[in-house]
Amino acid sequence: VVGCYHLKVDGEKMSKSRGNFVTADQLLDDFSADQVRYFLALSNLQEKAANFDLDAFRDRNRFLAGPINAALERPISAAHSKFDGMVPDGVLNEKVAATTVKMAQRYVKAMSRAEYSTLLYEIETYARQINSLFTQFKPHDDRHPEETRRNGLYSAFYVLKTLMIMLYPFVPDTMDRVRQSLRLPADVFRVDEIGVPIPAGHRLGAKQAFFPAVPQKPAELD
């Protein structure tokens, strides 16, 4: 995470004398390094000072454990329950393909400029395509036509692989668990792998735990 400005607490600089500082060790008692790194990357510290707010930190991690987790888990769960644990033979959705090309171009440009904050919000929007594909094509529901279900799930895996690669610099441990569940090689986290689909018939590994649920009680910061 590139940081050139102060990370503040309650609008003031962290200070030992005031005792208003937060250490990484304190946060790691209740949260993973990936959760902390993701929040700091969103703070845009390369351009301006930012405020560390525990409630905002917890809210962001609830989002990761909710909609983002759903995007990561749903294709894997559907493949195991309905397609014998394999990526189905399908046709890539044209809208998904076009959006991915634009997202890849934006990703390369933003990463070269360390524009992490705006980029991560765009990646979160991109991740919603998986939930949209499930809503539209119902790959998890065998009461619907099999061809459209196969196409929807195949396209969802296309988005999932892209999402995994783009998020890897920010949440590497979590994305490596996604990689293991997809049974992809360790060198898959290359930009030139964006837009390369997981082949039909590729057998998947077991779904793992990705972003953890946020603890019910606030982390102790004193």
Side-chain angles (χ1 to χ4, degrees):
V1 177
V2 176
C4 305
Y5 288 82
H6 288 288
L7 183 63
K8 299 181 178 181
V9 172
D10 296 328
E12 297 182 335
K13 295 179 185 178
M14 292 190 192
S15 167
K16 282 188 175 182
S17 60
R18 292 174 180 166
N20 66 341
F21 59 89
V22 179
T23 69
D25 284 345
Q26 288 171 310
L27 291 175
L28 292 175
D29 285 340
D30 292 288
F31 299 95
S32 71
D34 279 359
Q35 290 172 299
V36 177
R37 187 185 297 107
Y38 193 93
F39 183 79
L40 291 177
L42 281 173
S43 298
N44 206 21
L45 288 170
Q46 69 274 22
E47 294 185 5
K48 61 182 180 179
N51 197 56
F52 181 87
D53 180 270
L54 184 59
D55 289 335
F57 175 69
R58 291 169 62 82
D59 285 345
R60 176 50 46 182
N61 282 300
R62 288 190 186 95
F63 177 79
L64 292 178
I68 297 298
N69 246 3
L72 300 174
E73 293 177 351
R74 292 181 83 177
I76 299 169
S77 294
H80 279 296
S81 64
K82 302 299 180 181
F83 294 96
D84 195 28
M86 293 185 289
V87 176
D89 187 8
V91 177
L92 181 61
N93 181 279
E94 291 183 1
K95 182 179 178 181
V96 166
T99 301
T100 300
V101 169
K102 293 179 181 178
M103 190 68 229
Q105 293 170 342
R106 170 69 182 124
Y107 182 80
V108 171
K109 183 177 180 180
M111 288 296 283
S112 69
R113 298 179 177 181
E115 296 172 348
Y116 304 142
S117 180
T118 55
L119 175 62
L120 284 172
Y121 285 120
E122 291 176 34
I123 292 175
E124 291 176 359
T125 299
Y126 178 76
R128 290 186 172 96
Q129 287 193 96
I130 292 178
N131 293 329
S132 295
L133 288 166
F134 270 74
T135 299
Q136 184 176 358
F137 299 112
K138 305 290 192 298
H140 59 300
D141 188 345
D142 51 20
R143 294 173 297 178
H144 293 263
E146 183 173 332
E147 182 179 0
T148 57
R149 291 171 52 232
R150 286 180 177 272
N151 292 342
L153 188 54
Y154 180 82
S155 299
F157 275 110
Y158 183 84
V159 175
L160 177 55
K161 180 183 175 185
T162 302
L163 184 65
M164 176 191 73
I165 294 170
M166 291 192 297
L167 284 177
Y168 180 72
F170 304 100
V171 284
D173 292 341
T174 306
M175 291 305 106
D176 197 56
R177 290 195 294 275
V178 175
R179 177 193 67 79
Q180 293 168 18
S181 291
L182 296 177
R183 293 186 71 237
L184 294 173
D187 64 353
V188 72
F189 297 111
R190 304 193 310 270
V191 173
D192 59 7
E193 281 283 341
I194 294 177
V196 178
I198 303 174
H202 176 80
R203 186 163 293 280
L204 304 166
K207 184 184 73 175
Q208 299 188 45
F210 300 131
F211 289 109
V214 176
Q216 292 299 314
K217 295 181 180 180
E220 294 294 333
L221 296 180
D222 51 32

